[in-house]
Amino acid sequence: MIKEITVKGAVQGVGYRPFIACMAKEFNIAGFVKNMGALVQILAIGKESDLKAFISCINSKKPEGAFILSVNEKELQSIPSEYQKYSLDFSIIDSSEIDLSSDIPVFLPDIGICDDCKRELFDKDDRRYRYPLISCAICGPRMSILNSLPYDRQTTTMDSFSMCPSCQAEYAQGRRRYAQTISCHDCGPQMILDHWSVYGEAVRKNRDEAVVEAIDILKNGGILGLKGVSGYQLVCKPEREPARRLRAIKGRESKPFAIMFSDIESVREYACVSDLEEELLVSSGRPIVLLQKKNDLDDEVVRGSRYIGAFLPSAGIHSLLTKELGPLIVTSANKSDEPIIIDDKDFVLGFFKDHSDRESNVDGVLFHERNINMPMDDSVMFVISNKYGEYPQFIRRSRGYVPLPVIIDKAETRHGNVVFAFGGDLKSTFAFGHNDKILPSQYIGDLEDYSCAVNYKALTGQYKDIFKQVPSLYVCDKHPSYVSSQMAKDKAKADGIELIFLQHHFAHTYSVMAENGLESAIGVSFDGTGYGIDGAVWGGEFTYCNKAEAARAGHLSYVTMTGGDNASKDARLISKCYLHKAAVQGLISKDNLQSFSEDKLLFAALDNKVQTFECSSMGRLFDAISAFLGICDYNSYEGECAIRLENAAWEFVETKPIGQYPEFDFDINITKEGFTADQIKLFSEIYNCVNGGNYSAKEIAYGFHMAVVRLITKGCAMAKEKYLENKVCLSGGVFNNRLILSKATEALMDMGFEVFWNKDVPLGDGGISVGQAYYGLMFEKE
């Protein structure tokens, strides 16, 4: 009997062909296995019973790291003439080119160092002892070194490194059979260290001498640039002086640094680790996981955060450094808001050009000569829990997870469009949508930064070249001034392709619907800013989406604000806008404004609507409350005020019996459109509570959080009554707040709602492109 078997999924770069060949030998199967770009093709010749067992194993087993979407088989009446030579034995044959454009190919992300490679790394009797770029068939770089599909050595940046006889022998059999990144001390890329001598001269060391000297520099409080798997990183000890200096080098004022630990046991010394958090830490993606602190690090490192961003080594060089030095700050090599650097010359120009200026330059750069094709920051995740379970969440989806697609399950897409979604400007990503898959890019950054915009354009070209997707429909944000929207308009005009616009908060809802294959849902989209259909700034939205139709079901009431782009940073300014609105509405006495004599011009501008805008943003409300309570009044990084407000609420949870806090509520007003939640009335209640002096800032912070949770349940109940819909999707940056997300999901589940939220992509704007792509797949072209 002869069977032709097609396996779709992430089956390249994980030793899948050798895995199939070993299984074929076990079941006495002749034939071959080969890569075909987006899939693996198997010709299987054998007895019917053996073939049945063989195919059953293909369906139930896979090598570590593989991601199987489907296994299809068909019987052939005879062996094609060109395959007659494979009728007596089973072979792995060369890859062949196919048309990749008919579907989105599934390819693997970069994979963290496996246990076997880590064991060899520290085994003095192994020939790869202390080889910093050790890898095998199931670990190592994938996406970041890929030139084109199918995935073979000659289609990666490993093509310039010829295998030595020992590696060539391993490539034919054993654990490194067909491992395209196979290399060693004799034939692979090696580590090189350039550092400053005591005389201010650049000194070069190679191979293990480079690693030993790098360890010595770090041990003595120095800072190094390190060329990792998918981009340059900055590394130092998590101590006050090197951390202070690292902030100066990066231009990073207050954001906490992530810490790399050698193993899970060392993580537990500093942080509480649940079973799910441990599972994420040791997973092949090696994400940064935000863990609750147990033992504190210097405040120059963590800057008051209640969490430690912990992660484990993703490459051999990381393992060597942390094994010798213990925990290390390992952060992306970029100036704040700029893209991570992948080019050797760019790093030197940015961070290693002037020995005399130690406040702007590192002490050395440890690099290798393998090119990185595609920059990727570390992915960032956290875990929420409620009485229904624990759930993993992305803050940033990048290395270790990209380019795995979002699989659309159940929902029907109505046409064969290839959709290209431009995403938003903040935490930018783009995405391709085709058939039952959406392929989101890695985190790129904020497109207002010129270098991020350049990087965005370069990556879109790389993705098109690799995945061979030719768009027939473009989707972008409705904001007329977004860089991404202008790119979309220019591109649509140049290519003659239809462009459709999707409002920001509708896109948030659609992103959750995409992950869960939903065709309709109530949406709760809370974030800092998004351009509204009425021209106002939205951000506290209840939506209803049904296939390609979307409506606003309710929202926070509008507040008149000023400050332009500075409004998202200056929380003290925003709190005064709330105070002014409360006085105008008679909820507090206008006499209270007299104490702000320096703000007369601000209040006059608000009175006369001079350079003002209307805003329904939940994110700005968090900023205003944080500033008014004296917790944080300026966002030196995005969301800082809201994060510190959440920290205060958690401190109350951890020190006080629940119940001893002020209870606030949003008044709900019915409108023609749906409903509005009066945020000025709520702000006034908090204002009076503060002046009453009966509650601490922490107690008020918790009370505010619970008011937001009650608003979510009330709003969803009203939307359910209007739309007869029981499915709720939560999305938007505000839901990165663990207290809000855990309490809201639990409360909605208690009410009988089917509750969904982003788990495959970030809750914030990093998921916008997925929502746009899903909308485009359901949009019927005229």
Side-chain angles (χ1 to χ4, degrees), residues 177-221:
R177 190 179 185 190
Y178 282 86
Q180 308 304 346
T181 57
I182 189 171
S183 59
C184 69
H185 290 290
D186 296 327
C187 65
Q190 308 297 325
M191 300 308 296
I192 302 165
L193 175 70
D194 286 340
H195 68 102
W196 302 116
S197 73
V198 292
Y199 305 106
E201 299 171 338
V203 178
R204 173 163 290 191
K205 293 195 175 178
N206 296 282
R207 297 177 176 262
D208 199 51
E209 280 190 2
V211 176
V212 170
E213 182 67 24
I215 288 170
D216 193 54
I217 290 171
L218 293 170
K219 190 178 291 184
N220 288 298

Side-chain angles (χ1 to χ4, degrees), residues 246-309:
L246 182 57
R247 290 191 182 281
I249 289 171
K250 278 181 68 75
R252 184 174 187 166
E253 295 179 21
S254 297
K255 199 171 183 180
F257 286 122
I259 309 297
M260 181 178 284
F261 296 86
S262 60
D263 51 42
I264 196 71
E265 287 74 25
S266 60
V267 176
R268 291 188 189 280
E269 293 179 23
Y270 290 88
C272 303
V273 185
S274 71
D275 289 346
L276 180 54
E277 287 167 337
E278 179 176 349
E279 185 180 320
L280 293 174
L281 284 166
V282 302
S283 68
S284 63
R286 295 293 198 279
I288 296 169
V289 182
L290 301 185
L291 306 171
Q292 187 170 348
K293 284 189 303 189
K294 187 164 64 177
N295 288 322
D296 218 342
L297 290 159
D298 192 279
D299 191 59
E300 195 66 52
V301 177
V302 295
R303 284 297 173 96
S305 174
R306 70 191 303 270
Y307 303 113
I308 291 176

Side-chain angles (χ1 to χ4, degrees), residues 39 57 83 87 93 279 281 385:
L39 50 85
C57 282
Y83 297 146
S87 61
I93 65 175
E279 185 180 320
L281 284 166
S385 60

Side-chain angles (χ1 to χ4, degrees), residues 8 63 84 88 128 167 189 235 238 262 296 301 465 535 549 559 566 593 603 628 643 714 749:
K8 289 185 178 182
Q84 288 288 339
L88 299 178
R128 289 188 178 83
C167 283
V235 183
S262 60
D296 218 342
V301 177
D465 289 343
E549 299 294 327
V559 179
N566 194 44
L593 302 184
F603 295 142
F628 185 64
I643 289 168
K714 287 180 184 178
M749 290 175 184

